[in-house]
Amino acid sequence: MKPIARGGLTLRVLGTGTTLALIVGVSFAVLLRAIFAQRDTARLAVHSQEVLASANRLERLVVDLETGPRGYLLTGQERFLGPWITARVAAPNEAANLRRLAQVPEQRQLAERIDQLVGSYITDYSDPLVAA
């Protein structure tokens, strides 16, 4: 029988414990990184939902800007101008909100162009049509 080297078992236990602690530490670091990545992704998803909701609201307002005067012109009833009046006030604010939400330069340019077109539609077409 060979004698056990002095400190042999202690060194093995210490080495195994250190290796295990290193594996747990690396696993924890990987888990933290995944959690932070998931938080960033969730934040971007929420922002995308806000942009889509704003664009959807603006689209509905533009539809009201179009259909209100049409209903009024076809029937002569001023009740059809109710949604148009509401949309006329709300559309520029919603377009400005969409512009504020745009973060990427290309999106910002597109939002600014949409804002210009909505304003032009109101002042150059919709207002004169109802006034006539």
Side-chain angles (χ1 to χ4, degrees), residues 7 28 37 47 83 132:
F28 186 72
H47 179 75

Side-chain angles (χ1 to χ4, degrees), residues 5-83:
R6 194 174 168 144
L9 184 59
T10 305
L11 287 176
R12 285 182 185 172
V13 170
L14 188 59
T16 304
T18 303
T19 303
L20 185 59
L22 185 61
I23 290 171
V24 169
V26 168
S27 298
F28 186 72
V30 169
L31 182 62
L32 278 179
R33 184 174 176 171
I35 289 171
F36 289 133
Q38 191 275 336
R39 283 184 183 172
D40 288 342
T41 302
R43 183 183 51 79
L44 289 173
V46 167
H47 179 75
S48 293
Q49 288 176 346
E50 290 173 355
V51 171
L52 288 172
S54 178
N56 188 33
R57 284 189 300 269
L58 183 58
E59 179 184 16
R60 282 184 282 148
L61 291 170
V62 169
V63 168
D64 286 345
L65 286 171
E66 179 187 357
T67 58
R70 185 185 319 147
Y72 173 68
L73 291 174
L74 290 174
T75 65
Q77 296 178 7
E78 290 189 15
R79 67 184 176 97
F80 287 103
L81 291 178

Side-chain angles (χ1 to χ4, degrees), residues 65-66 69 120-130:
L65 286 171
E66 179 187 357
S120 175
Y121 183 81
I122 291 171
T123 58
D124 298 339
Y125 178 75
S126 190
D127 285 349
L129 180 64
V130 172

